[in-house]
Amino acid sequence: MLPPVETEEDWDTVVRDEASLSPGVADLCARLGLAGAPATRFAEGTQPVYAVGAEHVLKLFPAPAAADGVREARVLSFLRGRLPVATPEPLAAGEYHNGWRYVLMSRLPGTGLAPAWAGLSPPDRERIVTEAGEVLAALHALDPGPLGGALGPGDWGAFIDRQRAGTVARQRSRGLPDAWLEQIPGFLASVELPRAPRPTLLHTEFMREHLLVDPAGRRLTGLFDFEPAMIGDPAYDFVGVGLFVTRGDARLLGRFTRAYGRALPPETLLAYTLLHVYSNLSWYLKELPAPADGTLPALAAGWFGTA
């Protein structure tokens, strides 16, 4: 059985301890008809995720994240065949012992875009970015009505208010220097965000790490990891695009937005970057170039401007 996880301390101890998880993984695989198939844990990801044999992926959700397991299964079922690229096929989902949930899904073919990126030629990168823009447009064109009971946040305006109220404290806890912190309230006050946008299914972490390409790196083939999916403003998904797909490259972001069919104001995207559930501006400033004048408007133009 999988050991109980009730606190953050439990999470840190149990979820990282493969020796404590492996007996439960083997038992669950046997119950799912996969006895004897090798289960190899992926290094990435917040949740424990395993390649089971060559064709299956098993994703586990401890009790504090059980709702994420329900959400992922629902979204994957909804997405079957609806996007230009493959998404995992949900094969089984449910409860296990001690509050854990699981989702068994098909394993997508392809290579991760993140590790493949350095080896791609400029034309291949441009083609992949174009296809990524088309995939996100297709996702955002879907009617998320059938998912309304499974996905939050419900009231988008209230969600924005909550995020705004805690932004400075969150960014301070993640090491953002005071010179940036003191700019946040004024910057957010200057950007008007919709309180009741057109309901849109959001991936929320649309990034190279969740995209797959064919082995030659010439075509986009898959999109995965829908556990943090939400319904809200489509602009929210462009945080991951600008930071983790095009990474401040104005030319590539311009290509992406043309394929998507809409460009968005850089200030809006930086505002959502600050308000995003997983926002960590201090880390982003280490990963991407920062403007010489050290201002948030210049940062918005540098990271989310297009060419």
Side-chain angles (χ1 to χ4, degrees):
M1 287 190 210
L2 295 171
V5 174
E6 298 177 356
T7 66
E8 290 187 11
E9 291 75 15
D10 291 340
W11 189 298
D12 290 339
T13 301
V14 173
V15 173
R16 299 177 191 217
D17 182 7
E18 190 54 33
S20 70
L21 297 180
S22 57
V25 171
D27 175 68
L28 182 53
C29 286
R31 295 181 185 216
L32 294 170
L34 298 171
T40 305
R41 185 168 178 175
F42 291 101
E44 305 82 10
T46 304
Q47 317 293 358
V49 185
Y50 299 82
V52 183
E55 299 181 353
H56 300 90
V57 169
L58 179 66
K59 192 168 187 177
L60 302 177
F61 302 84
D68 295 343
V70 175
R71 183 183 306 116
E72 180 135 39
R74 285 284 302 276
V75 174
L76 291 179
S77 295
F78 173 78
L79 287 175
R80 282 189 180 105
R82 296 190 179 203
L83 297 183
V85 297
T87 55
E89 177 78 11
L91 303 173
E95 298 179 355
Y96 189 54
H97 295 292
N98 290 327
W100 286 77
R101 293 192 67 90
Y102 67 89
V103 178
L104 179 70
M105 63 192 86
S106 62
R107 184 172 183 178
L108 298 177
T111 301
L113 178 57
W117 186 264
L120 299 181
S121 68
D124 287 341
R125 292 181 178 183
E126 291 172 358
R127 182 171 51 255
I128 293 295
V129 164
T130 297
E131 292 176 350
E134 294 168 349
V135 169
L136 191 61
L139 179 69
H140 287 177
L142 298 174
D143 176 7
L147 295 170
L151 273 62
D155 185 331
W156 187 256
F159 166 72
I160 292 302
D161 290 344
R162 290 193 301 273
Q163 293 302 105
R164 188 191 302 267
T167 298
V168 172
R170 280 194 303 274
Q171 298 297 341
R172 179 181 288 114
S173 72
R174 290 161 188 172
L176 187 66
D178 288 343
W180 291 103
L181 288 169
E182 63 189 18
Q183 298 180 53
I184 290 176
F187 178 79
L188 290 178
S190 73
V191 181
E192 185 174 354
L193 299 175
R195 299 189 63 80
R198 173 181 63 85
T200 300
L201 176 57
L202 308 176
H203 185 281
T204 78
E205 292 189 294
F206 195 89
M207 51 204 293
R208 295 179 194 172
E209 286 75 6
H210 298 144
L211 292 162
L212 297 171
V213 294
D214 66 75
R218 296 199 175 113
R219 307 296 302 184
L220 199 65
T221 62
L223 173 65
F224 62 96
D225 198 7
F226 287 89
E227 70 177 68
M230 299 167 61
I231 294 176
D233 185 358
Y236 190 84
D237 256 343
F238 277 78
V239 174
V241 173
L243 297 178
F244 298 109
V245 178
T246 59
R247 294 185 63 84
D249 186 318
R251 184 179 52 82
L252 286 179
L253 184 57
R255 181 174 285 271
F256 186 101
T257 57
R258 287 190 291 274
Y260 178 83
R262 177 189 176 195
L264 295 157
E267 294 80 7
T268 296
L269 302 187
L270 184 60
Y272 274 136
T273 298
L274 294 166
L275 298 172
H276 198 282
V277 170
Y278 302 124
S279 179
N280 188 339
L281 190 59
S282 179
W283 176 44
Y284 306 154
L285 287 166
K286 296 173 185 175
E287 293 289 312
L288 299 173
D293 67 1
T295 66
L296 289 175
L299 192 64
W303 287 358
F304 298 108
T306 60

